[in-house]
Amino acid sequence: MKTAVIGTGYVGLIQAVGLAHLGFKVIAYDIDISKINALKRGNPPIYEKGLKELLHQNRERLFFTTSVEDLKDSEVIFVCVGTPQDSQGKANLNFVFSAVENLKPLLMGKEIVVLKSTVPVGTNRKVQQLLGDKAFVVSNPEFLREGIAVEDFFNPERVVLGFSENHPEWVREKMFNLYRFFLKKNIPFVVTNWESAELIKYASNTFLAMKISFINELARLSEKVGADIKEIARGMGLDSRIGNKFLNAGIGWGGSCFPKDVSALIWQFKEWGIEPKLPKVTKEINDEQIPWFLNKIKKHYGGNLNGKTFALLGLAFKPYTDDLRESPSLKLAELLIQEGAFVKGYDYVEGTRENVKKLVELKASTRHSYGLIVYDDLNTAVKGVDGIIIAVEYKEWNRENWKEFSKLVRNKAIFDGRNILERILVKKLVKEGWHYEGVGVNI
Ligand code: UGA
């Protein structure tokens, strides 16, 4: 079966490489020539564990192109373009519609066009209307987590497929045949209509964001009353109806998905005349979380951060990614700088450090100077600082040489914005004279 992928971002590239690994011939198309050229040379434009290796392994089945005509004769075409947030918080569908418009003249009436991009309710129906009888539109939202996206592709917890009631039976059969690898692995398939498939995606992301916002709000109370949010989360999570995942309190959720998807769901409620209560509060709590954490830091320094220097550990929105979109760490850096502090940044992922360096250069060129410097060496980042702030949940911080940090810092203070340092280590550090503050924890 000949397949094609439109868009070689996080979703499209993993889909293309994953399908090639399952034995399909895949044509991956993007309008960005530099991306396609890099891919032709075997260099993924993003960092994702295992991706480069998989790309090399499956080279003979993967074709990269900037010419839309090359998509002709593909039987199943996956649309994997971005649906960013517009200025009002709505999903911007321009990339989706322009991809479909460009594709339309090449279609012969037997192709399946699969929307993998996260799209608001009603979009699959609109795309089908646009294509008429030139193709069959199927909704197939993705649930890949950045950082472990390759692993998630081969081991999904579910496959969601949304069809129209008017689709002939062979459309379903062809999709099942394409995804037979997952069927054989007994991965549950949710086969439904377009609208449900579209909402499953928004509901899943918003629900996860809501879990985090719930625990973050509770952390504020926990801290006031001398309770410990980590123990509360454990006590809650052992109830299998609640589950222990996504209950880590911290400086909040970011990334390319949760912020835009929560906002887009809020819009969809509004457009259908329903007040979006929980999604709205989920976002509000998240918006407050970084200023709340900054206040804790400020308090420790008597309300004034002017001239203070901080080591900021972790710069992307989560571990093992170089994606800086809506990074809570960088938002915190911005606020620290506004308070007159200097920030020395470090991240384990080299691509993240490089991306932040580029961002700093850009900011410096428009503002003359910008108080964030990225270091390639952790010890240098920590040297001479008034406090260490942990902003990304790398477990690796636990295994760093804190004895050495004691000698390097000017002031022994840790602000653990992800509650990632283990209790035993924290107790030891406090004994050795460190000031430790987490999010809602009781040491
Ligand atoms: C998210 C979903 O988890 C995926 O299922 C979905 O496919 C993807 O969005 C998407 O729509 O494409 P991702 O954006 O990679 O995946 O990131 P997550 O692992 O979900 O983390 C999001 C944010 O929540 C991060 O900033 C993370 O630090 C934060 N987080 C996560 C917490 O603050 N606490 C937690 O307990 C868990």
Side-chain angles (χ1 to χ4, degrees), residues 142-146 201 205 208 212 246-248 252-254 257-258 261 317-318 328 393 418:
E142 57 84 22
F143 302 97
L144 306 172
R145 292 165 294 176
E146 281 185 28
K201 171 66 197 233
N205 273 1
L208 290 170
I212 304 169
F246 279 64
L247 284 180
N248 298 324
W253 39 270
C257 305
F258 282 6
D261 291 351
F317 82 97
K318 67 185 278 192
E393 58 272 38
R418 294 293 179 184

Side-chain angles (χ1 to χ4, degrees), residues 229-402:
I229 202 68
K230 274 179 129 175
E231 282 160 27
I232 297 171
R234 183 169 138 75
M236 288 168 66
L238 285 168
D239 183 331
S240 63
R241 292 170 305 175
I242 298 172
N244 61 6
K245 309 257 169 67
F246 279 64
L247 284 180
N248 298 324
I251 55 171
W253 39 270
S256 62
C257 305
F258 282 6
K260 84 168 168 64
D261 291 351
V262 172
S263 292
L265 185 63
I266 291 172
W267 262 98
Q268 290 171 72
F269 270 99
K270 284 185 184 161
E271 277 173 345
W272 288 90
I274 305 167
E275 172 138 10
K277 292 185 183 163
L278 282 173
K280 221 166 137 233
V281 172
T282 296
K283 182 179 175 335
E284 276 164 20
I285 294 169
N286 201 53
D287 290 343
E288 291 162 5
Q289 197 65 2
I290 297 171
W292 174 82
F293 191 66
L294 177 80
N295 258 337
K296 273 161 66 79
I297 301 175
K298 264 177 92 173
K299 234 185 197 167
H300 180 71
Y301 298 94
N304 187 2
L305 297 181
N306 198 18
K308 295 272 180 282
T309 304
F310 292 96
L312 186 66
L313 307 193
L315 301 169
F317 82 97
K318 67 185 278 192
Y320 314 111
T321 177
D322 60 359
D323 194 344
L324 305 181
R325 285 175 287 179
E326 300 281 330
S327 158
S329 170
L330 294 183
K331 284 189 184 165
L332 180 58
E334 189 81 48
L335 294 185
L336 287 162
I337 292 163
Q338 274 170 27
E339 295 282 337
F342 293 100
V343 181
K344 300 173 81 183
Y346 177 81
D347 196 288
Y348 287 114
V349 175
E350 191 192 342
T352 305
R353 298 197 300 269
E354 293 312 312
N355 286 347
V356 180
K357 282 180 200 167
K358 279 183 218 149
L359 203 85
V360 170
E361 258 172 46
L362 198 78
K363 295 222 181 207
S365 67
T366 53
R367 291 197 207 172
H368 307 300
S369 75
Y370 188 66
L372 169 64
I373 298 178
V374 178
Y375 292 86
D376 289 324
D377 168 61
L378 179 54
N379 280 355
T380 319
V382 161
K383 198 170 172 205
V385 298
D386 295 291
I388 296 178
I389 302 171
I390 299 179
V392 176
E393 58 272 38
Y394 282 107
K395 288 203 176 75
E396 284 84 340
W397 305 129
N398 284 286
R399 296 194 287 277
E400 290 298 345
N401 190 345
W402 288 88

Side-chain angles (χ1 to χ4, degrees), residues 10 14 48-49 144-154:
Y10 279 92
I14 305 286
E48 196 61 53
K49 209 170 127 212
L144 306 172
R145 292 165 294 176
E146 281 185 28
I148 40 172
V150 172
E151 198 186 311
D152 276 355
F153 177 87
F154 294 105

